[in-house]
Amino acid sequence: MIKVEHLVKKYGNNYALGDVSFEIGEGEIVGLLGPNGAGKSTTMNILTGYLSATSGEASVGGVSILDNPLEAKRLIGYLPEQPPVYPDMTVDEYLNFVYDLKRCELNREAHLNEIRGVVKLQDVRDRLIRNLSKGYRQRVGIAQALIGDPKVIIFDEPTVGLDPKQILEVRNLVRSLGGKHTVILSTHILAEVQAVCERIVVIDHGKIIANEKTDELARVMEENAHYRYNICGPRSEVLTALRGVRGVLYAECAGERDGEAYTYLLELSGGTEPRKAVFRVCAERGWQIIGAADAGGDLESIFIKLIDRANAPKTNAGNRARRAEGKR
Amino acid sequence: MTAIYKREMRSFFTTPIGYVFVAIYLAISGALFAATTLFSMSSSLTEYFSYMLFVYVILVPLLTMKSFSEERKTRTEQLLLTAPVTLPGMVAAKFLAALTLFASCQLVAALAFFILARYAQLKVAVIFGNLLALMLVGMAFIAVGLFVSALTENQLAAAVATVGILLLFLLIGYANQFINVYWIRFIFSCLSVWTRFQNFGQGVFDVAALFYYLSVTAVFLFLTVRIYDKRRYR
């Protein structure tokens, strides 16, 4: 449905996007993830025809946004970072304006009613947008994107500035759009992507550094498991013993003290064997393991690791090599 | 395009700008009309028309200052630019909206001429010529105002800069009295709005002037489109 090929965008001498390519199938919900200033908004602005690209191709539903912008724009509903609402209009006036602007051919009353229902705007139909709260304005912005029943809907950070309840509502709404619409959701909040999206495209410094199914991203990124152990015993001895265990790639003491126990962070090679070995080593020496928890695998740490790796591939690889060496 | 036109017309009257514009326009026009004809016992409208030009310098920026700058500031331009509307369509809609309000005011103001017609023999051709010329000047001024408004997101800056540019267009002809260099005088008189307006005041239908005003309008509208086009390429 959406196809982006070798997209490059230069601002002066800076590359906002350097050779970005990805594809999104019909009905997919894809998260565009990246730290602030990574190029998410630029990508979406190009896809919606707001900006042009320095080079590359972007097409929506087979229509090139650069060669045939009017046709392509018809297929897209877009909610920019700041909802583009006119404060001097009432909600109904605004929705009707957008309906006319997009030259929508659906039945006006039925279509607008349906949208008002979906984003729960019935109670504020005649209120001036100026007087609405941030949450309601955001909903008006979402409603605007839905008008005309576009095949592709693009949301740029739709939950920024909303309260937790509204955030949940927006997420549910986005999830419900999948299947019927192709949705791109940009955010820097990982939980959001995890909750809503089927696939994640991670972008940083104008480059795509990962493009995976949400649940596979963890697996792909993390061949080794991370654990957090709380072990009672003399700190340096425990550490030396842990480092001697087969399958423990890396061990360090996090320094947090819980009674007589210290917290240790371990990186274990896959499988359950190393955990058994850790238990045996501790049991033999009379150190009690009073806690063990999975410390990796969440998107947060994968995300940070991905970005670190992309930014400084050499040093990270070096660290890994050093860790492996230290173990041997 | 019609959607933007309608919204633009509405926004004149959901903000004070439309009311302020209409009120000041009609008040000043009425006062000028009374002062130059009724009170000075004259049936000549020439003075009235030429004073109105200066009124436009102040009033037209009021009409155009927020056209694009406000959209840019509130980011609503993102809606317009990502909607299936062409750039020329968007600019034309804003231009026509401003022109509609402007022209309606002038037509209403022209009702005053009927009062004069009761007391004096008016040359209908002269009046129509002058009205047409005013409209043309208004069009050109609006185009300049829209262009400046597209340059900045600050309404006040847009208004002040527009006043400055319009004054320059109007007064550049006067400067010629003090300049001896032929080619500078030639360029100045080419640019002068005033010089061209004079012919209409004498009841001469000046085709060259007609084209002059229309081309100034076209050039500035074109530049406005270009600004938006260029901003996409930044």
Side-chain angles (χ1 to χ4, degrees):
Chain A
M1 196 67 198
I2 297 174
K3 200 168 172 188
V4 172
E5 286 170 293
H6 305 295
L7 213 55
V8 175
K9 177 71 182 175
K10 265 170 97 173
Y11 291 124
N13 281 326
N14 295 328
Y15 281 91
L17 290 182
D19 199 8
V20 165
S21 306
F22 60 84
E23 244 178 89
I24 298 175
E26 196 160 347
E28 250 189 307
I29 304 183
V30 172
L32 202 55
L33 191 66
N36 289 324
K40 290 173 297 191
S41 290
T42 308
T43 308
M44 285 185 284
N45 280 334
I46 293 174
L47 268 178
T48 53
Y50 181 60
L51 290 179
S52 82
T54 310
S55 67
E57 253 307 320
S59 64
V60 175
V63 183
S64 163
I65 184 77
L66 302 169
D67 299 337
N68 199 351
L70 286 193
E71 269 307 300
K73 283 173 184 176
R74 267 173 210 278
L75 302 172
I76 303 174
Y78 180 36
L79 171 68
E81 225 171 318
Q82 208 175 325
V85 293
Y86 291 96
D88 61 333
M89 292 176 115
T90 67
V91 172
D92 263 6
E93 283 168 350
Y94 177 73
L95 294 181
N96 275 298
F97 164 64
V98 176
Y99 179 96
D100 291 335
L101 187 69
K102 292 191 178 179
R103 290 177 219 188
C104 187
E105 276 154 13
L106 300 159
N107 179 289
R108 184 187 292 261
E109 262 319 297
H111 184 50
L112 292 186
N113 260 334
E114 189 195 332
I115 287 173
R116 275 190 292 256
V118 169
V119 296
K120 302 199 180 73
L121 280 173
Q122 299 101 327
D123 300 340
V124 294
R125 290 177 61 163
D126 298 320
R127 296 260 301 272
L128 275 181
I129 293 177
R130 184 200 316 271
N131 301 330
L132 294 181
S133 66
K134 169 85 179 141
Y136 269 110
R137 275 186 209 202
Q138 193 74 17
R139 285 191 212 178
V140 177
I142 294 175
Q144 163 272 123
L146 298 181
I147 287 179
D149 211 11
K151 284 188 175 158
V152 173
I153 301 179
I154 300 181
F155 292 119
D156 196 351
E157 311 209 337
T159 56
V160 168
L162 301 186
D163 67 38
K165 188 164 168 281
Q166 293 168 333
I167 290 180
L168 275 182
E169 284 173 3
V170 170
R171 282 185 194 163
N172 288 335
L173 173 67
V174 173
R175 208 178 300 132
S176 70
L177 293 172
K180 198 172 158 218
H181 305 269
T182 305
V183 182
I184 299 184
L185 172 80
S186 119
T187 177
H188 57 262
I189 305 166
L190 295 140
E192 196 152 286
V193 174
Q194 226 165 359
V196 175
C197 303
E198 297 151 11
R199 194 148 63 88
I200 302 184
V201 174
V202 184
I203 187 166
D204 183 45
H205 282 86
K207 290 215 157 54
I208 287 186
I209 54 180
N211 180 356
E212 305 286 345
K213 290 246 191 273
T214 308
D215 39 355
E216 272 169 27
L217 187 64
R219 215 174 309 146
V220 169
M221 283 316 301
E222 219 38 90
E223 63 282 16
N224 300 324
H226 289 257
Y227 285 92
R228 177 188 295 267
Y229 276 87
N230 294 33
I231 303 173
C232 303
R235 183 152 67 153
S236 56
E237 278 177 46
V238 172
L239 208 52
T240 325
L242 286 176
R243 283 180 180 153
V245 175
R246 173 183 290 273
V248 175
L249 301 174
Y250 179 72
E252 68 170 335
C253 180
E256 297 156 27
R257 202 169 168 176
D258 168 20
E260 43 188 328
Y262 283 95
T263 303
Y264 302 88
L265 297 175
L266 304 186
E267 187 176 343
L268 307 178
S269 61
T272 53
E273 277 317 305
R275 277 183 277 168
K276 289 182 183 169
V278 167
F279 174 79
R280 237 177 350 254
V281 166
C282 292
E284 276 165 14
R285 291 172 172 74
W287 302 326
Q288 295 89 353
I289 299 177
I290 60 169
D294 194 334
D298 65 315
L299 270 178
E300 209 84 35
S301 57
I302 295 169
F303 180 54
I304 289 169
K305 212 168 276 172
L306 268 174
I307 286 172
D308 281 350
R309 196 182 293 175
N311 286 350
K314 277 175 200 152
T315 31
N316 248 347
N319 279 342
R320 265 161 193 271
R322 236 174 289 133
R323 279 183 206 173
E325 237 160 58
K327 199 215 77 186
R328 265 178 235 124
Chain B
M1 190 181 136
T2 39
I4 301 180
Y5 173 80
K6 274 196 250 168
R7 203 213 86 77
E8 209 55 27
M9 286 308 288
R10 266 196 74 264
S11 86
F12 283 133
F13 295 101
T14 52
T15 55
I17 287 192
Y19 297 102
V20 171
F21 177 83
V22 172
I24 297 185
Y25 195 116
L26 294 181
I28 295 187
S29 161
L32 277 178
F33 177 75
T36 55
T37 58
L38 302 182
F39 295 153
S40 50
M41 300 300 214
S42 153
S43 68
S44 158
L45 281 164
T46 316
E47 250 184 303
Y48 164 80
F49 284 119
S50 41
Y51 284 138
M52 279 312 280
L53 279 192
F54 286 90
V55 177
Y56 289 177
V57 170
I58 308 295
L59 282 180
V60 167
L62 199 65
L63 212 53
T64 59
M65 63 183 185
K66 78 177 183 67
S67 303
F68 291 106
S69 53
E70 184 76 359
E71 303 258 11
R72 205 167 146 194
K73 199 170 173 185
T74 58
R75 301 290 189 91
T76 44
E77 67 169 21
Q78 254 178 326
L79 174 69
L80 304 185
L81 296 176
T82 57
V85 181
T86 58
L87 283 178
M90 177 182 85
V91 172
K94 298 223 168 216
F95 172 74
L96 289 176
L99 186 64
T100 308
L101 188 61
F102 169 85
S104 335
C105 280
Q106 186 52 55
L107 289 181
V108 171
L111 291 179
F113 302 162
F114 287 108
I115 300 174
L116 198 61
R118 279 197 57 183
Y119 303 105
Q121 279 281 319
L122 294 183
K123 290 185 186 129
V124 179
V126 175
I127 289 182
F128 274 109
N130 271 307
L131 273 179
L132 177 68
L134 274 188
M135 293 292 169
L136 289 170
V137 173
M139 277 167 69
F141 280 13
I142 289 170
V144 172
L146 289 179
F147 167 73
V148 176
S149 176
L151 289 175
T152 171
E153 54 183 73
N154 185 327
Q155 284 189 39
L156 194 65
V160 173
T162 310
V163 171
I165 294 175
L166 295 185
L167 261 186
L168 193 73
F169 264 119
L170 205 52
L171 297 181
I172 206 166
Y174 284 129
N176 269 350
Q177 299 169 7
F178 312 105
I179 292 172
N180 285 325
V181 189
Y182 171 75
W183 61 271
I184 296 183
R185 283 175 60 150
F186 177 73
I187 293 175
F188 278 17
S189 64
C190 283
L191 290 174
S192 170
V193 171
W194 184 260
T195 325
R196 282 156 213 279
F197 192 75
Q198 302 270 282
N199 283 342
F200 285 95
Q202 284 140 21
V204 180
F205 186 81
D206 186 348
V207 180
L210 176 78
F211 276 103
Y212 166 76
Y213 292 128
L214 288 179
S215 41
V216 169
T217 309
V219 164
F220 278 96
L221 290 182
F222 172 73
L223 288 177
T224 313
V225 172
R226 284 296 304 151
I227 284 179
Y228 269 90
D229 214 17
K230 188 163 169 286
R231 203 175 290 147
R232 291 178 56 229
Y233 288 90
R234 268 189 290 214

